[in-house]
Amino acid sequence: MARVINTDQYPVYINDDRALAEQIALIAPSKVFVLVDETTEQICLYQVLEILPQNSIIIHIDQGEVFKSINTASFIWKSLLHNGADRHALLINLGGGVIGDMGGFCASTYMRGIKFIQMPTTLLSQVDSSIGSKLGVDFENIKNIIGVFQHPQAVIVNTSFLKSLPYKQLLSGYAEIIKHALIADRELWHELETVNDLRSLVFEDLIFKNIHIKNTIVTEDPKEAGSRKILNFGHTIGHALESLLLGSEEQLLHGEAIAIGIVCESYLSYLKGFITIQQCTTIKKLIINLFGHKYKSLPPSNEIIKIMLLDKKNKDKKILFSLLESIGKGNYDQQMTDVQINESLEWYKK
Ligand SMILES: NC(=O)c1ccc[n+]([C@@H]2O[C@H](COP(=O)([O-])OP(=O)(O)OC[C@H]3O[C@@H](n4cnc5c(N)ncnc54)[C@H](O)[C@@H]3O)[C@@H](O)[C@H]2O)c1
Ligand SMILES: [Zn+2]
C-alpha cells in the first residue's frame, strides 16, 4: 500500500511506484545524476532506470564506510562538473546511508547546492539516515565530522529493495529501530521484545512507524539544539567503537556498533537511577540474542574514552550522553565519569 508522510520540509513516500516520475516532472531538472555503489548499481538501479530521462548520468563509487570520505566526495564533485551538472541538475542518491549521507553532502555543496532525492535501499537508511537532513562524510577516522544540514526534495522508500539485503545489514538497521523504540515508543519496544528472527517482520508497517518517530523528533529540533539529541542514545560509545575499528579486521557495521552502545548506555541509565537493572538486562539479552556477543574484539576502554572526547555532542571537554529517562523516553546532556563508562563497557563484556 502506498503511503506518504509529509514532513515540514519534504515528502517521504513509502512504496509509491509513481513518486519518482512525479518528483522528476515537478523538479524539471536540467540533467539527472544517480549516485550508486557496486551493489545498488547491480540490484536496485534497473528499477529506477526506466523512469529516468535518457541522458541521465550514473556516478559509481566503491561500497562501504571506508569510502565515505573527502576523496570520494571529490570524485563525485568532479563527476558532476565534468558531466555538465549546472545549478538545476538533480542528484538521486540510490543506496544505503553511505550513499545518502555523502551524495546529499556533495549535492548540498556543489554550486552552493543542487537538488537531491534520497532513495534509501537499506533498512538503516530507510528508517533512519534518509530522514532528518544530516549529511556528511568521515574525516581523520572520525565519523561524519564534515557535513551540513540540508533537506532533500523528497525521500522515496521502496521496501522491496530489502529483499536482497544480507541479514547482517538488516540487523544493522534494526539497531536503530530498537533505539527508536527505547527512546520514544514504549509500546513498540514491547513488540520488539518478542522478535527473534527479523525475517518474520512486516517491514512496511515497521518502517512507517520508525520514520514517523524520527520525523517527530527532528521536526521539534531540526538543528539538534536540544531535544533531537535523544537520537544519539547508544551513539556516544557506539560511534567511538565504530571509529576505532574502522578499516580493521574487527570493523563493525554502524548498527552493530550502536547495538553495543545501546547495551552500555542502558547501563549508564541504570547508574544514573533512571531505569532498573532488570530493564537493563532485558535490553542486553535481546541485543546479544540478535547480534551475538562481540566482547572479544572490543578495544581497551581508555582508547574508547579517548575517541569519545572528540564526540560532536561534547561541551567543555565533558563527555555527554543521551540516555534513557525510562523505557520509551530518552533524555540528553548527561555527564558520566570515565569510571562509570568503563564499568558500562565491562558490563557489556560480562
Ligand atoms: N544522516 C543520518 O542521520 C544518519 C543516521 C544513521 C546512520 N547514518 C550513516 O549511515 C551509514 C550506514 O548506512 P548503511 O548501513 O545503509 O550502510 P551502506 O550504505 O554502506 O550500505 C550497506 C551495504 O549494503 C549494500 N546495499 C545497499 N542496498 C542494498 C540492497 N537493497 N540489497 C543488498 N545490498 C545493499 C551497500 O552496497 C553496502 O555494501 C553510516 O555511514 C552512518 O554514519 C547517518
Ligand atoms: Zn545511528
Side-chain angles (χ1 to χ4, degrees):
M1 187 183 67
R3 300 199 231 187
V4 62
I5 295 178
N6 282 305
T7 76
D8 272 8
Q9 307 287 343
Y10 51 90
V12 182
Y13 299 98
I14 301 166
N15 292 342
D16 184 337
D17 294 339
R18 291 168 313 176
L20 182 60
E22 284 172 4
Q23 281 295 317
I24 292 176
L26 195 72
I27 297 166
S30 53
K31 205 166 194 177
V32 175
F33 292 76
V34 186
L35 181 66
V36 288
D37 65 25
E38 301 130 278
T39 308
T40 59
E41 177 175 26
Q42 275 176 26
I43 296 179
C44 311
L45 185 61
Y46 76 95
Q47 292 196 40
V48 174
L49 270 185
E50 55 193 31
I51 298 165
L52 301 180
Q54 285 209 331
N55 67 343
S56 300
I57 304 277
I58 312 300
I59 305 176
H60 323 248
I61 59 170
D62 291 328
Q63 66 185 357
E65 186 70 34
V66 280
F67 294 103
K68 190 180 173 185
S69 63
I70 280 290
N71 281 346
T72 315
S74 167
F75 170 79
I76 297 168
W77 287 317
K78 280 182 200 157
S79 305
L80 290 168
L81 187 64
H82 299 317
N83 287 289
D86 62 18
R87 293 177 67 184
H88 305 285
L90 169 70
L91 180 63
I92 298 172
N93 298 313
L94 180 66
V98 168
I99 291 277
D101 281 16
M102 186 162 47
F105 171 69
C106 290
S108 306
T109 44
Y110 181 77
M111 294 193 175
R112 297 203 179 82
I114 59 170
K115 291 180 174 158
F116 65 98
I117 289 177
Q118 302 294 45
M119 290 194 76
T121 61
T122 61
L123 182 59
L124 186 137
S125 55
Q126 296 190 349
V127 297
D128 188 357
S129 63
S130 66
I131 311 297
S133 309
K134 271 191 186 177
L135 311 164
V137 294
D138 305 335
F139 185 64
E140 294 284 282
N141 260 0
I142 306 168
K143 293 267 311 163
N144 307 325
I145 192 88
I146 306 294
V148 295
F149 283 98
Q150 191 61 252
H151 303 300
Q153 292 303 299
V155 178
I156 301 177
V157 174
N158 182 342
T159 57
S160 74
F161 285 140
L162 301 181
K163 285 187 203 137
S164 54
L165 201 63
Y167 195 70
K168 201 173 144 82
Q169 294 288 351
L170 211 54
L171 264 177
S172 179
Y174 196 68
E176 305 284 7
I177 292 179
I178 294 174
K179 176 194 79 180
H180 283 158
L182 285 170
I183 61 169
D185 192 337
R186 188 189 184 96
E187 225 171 86
L188 177 61
W189 166 249
H190 290 315
E191 281 172 37
L192 301 186
E193 273 185 293
T194 63
V195 176
N196 289 313
D197 187 344
L198 304 192
R199 277 173 276 243
S200 64
L201 290 168
V202 181
F203 277 109
E204 192 176 299
D205 291 344
L206 197 59
I207 288 167
F208 182 82
K209 223 178 249 185
N210 276 272
I211 292 175
H212 181 73
I213 293 174
K214 174 136 189 206
N215 180 50
T216 306
I217 296 169
V218 301
T219 302
E220 200 177 290
D221 174 23
K223 294 269 174 84
E224 204 168 305
S227 58
R228 180 174 176 162
K229 292 184 195 168
I230 66 169
L231 286 165
N232 293 320
F233 173 59
H235 280 63
T236 308
I237 291 178
H239 265 166
L241 286 172
E242 193 183 4
S243 301
L244 264 177
L245 299 172
L246 197 68
S248 77
E249 277 184 11
E250 274 85 35
Q251 181 168 338
L252 296 172
L253 294 180
H254 178 73
E256 289 176 325
I258 296 318
I260 300 173
I262 289 176
V263 174
C264 297
E265 295 180 21
S266 297
Y267 190 77
L268 294 178
S269 311
Y270 156 68
L271 288 182
K272 282 277 191 197
F274 298 140
I275 64 171
T276 66
I277 191 69
Q278 287 80 6
Q279 289 171 323
C280 248
T281 306
T282 307
I283 295 169
K284 181 175 168 184
K285 273 195 186 141
L286 178 117
I287 285 183
I288 288 180
N289 180 26
L290 287 170
F291 291 81
H293 203 178
K294 300 188 193 307
Y295 63 96
K296 285 198 184 120
S297 46
L298 292 197
S301 301
N302 60 337
E303 280 184 36
I304 302 175
I305 292 171
K306 206 159 87 189
I307 294 277
M308 285 194 296
L309 281 166
L310 297 169
D311 197 285
K312 295 187 287 301
K313 301 183 291 300
N314 293 340
K315 222 176 150 190
D316 305 331
K317 296 232 162 75
K318 291 183 192 122
I319 303 180
L320 295 177
F321 286 84
S322 303
L323 300 178
L324 297 179
E325 183 77 32
S326 60
I327 300 294
K329 188 167 188 292
N331 63 20
Y332 56 93
D333 285 352
Q334 300 291 329
Q335 202 185 331
M336 305 301 303
T337 65
D338 290 9
V339 174
Q340 290 171 316
I341 298 167
N342 191 34
E343 196 181 329
S344 78
L345 288 160
E346 289 305 316
W347 190 73
Y348 170 78
K349 290 183 196 167
K350 265 203 297 222

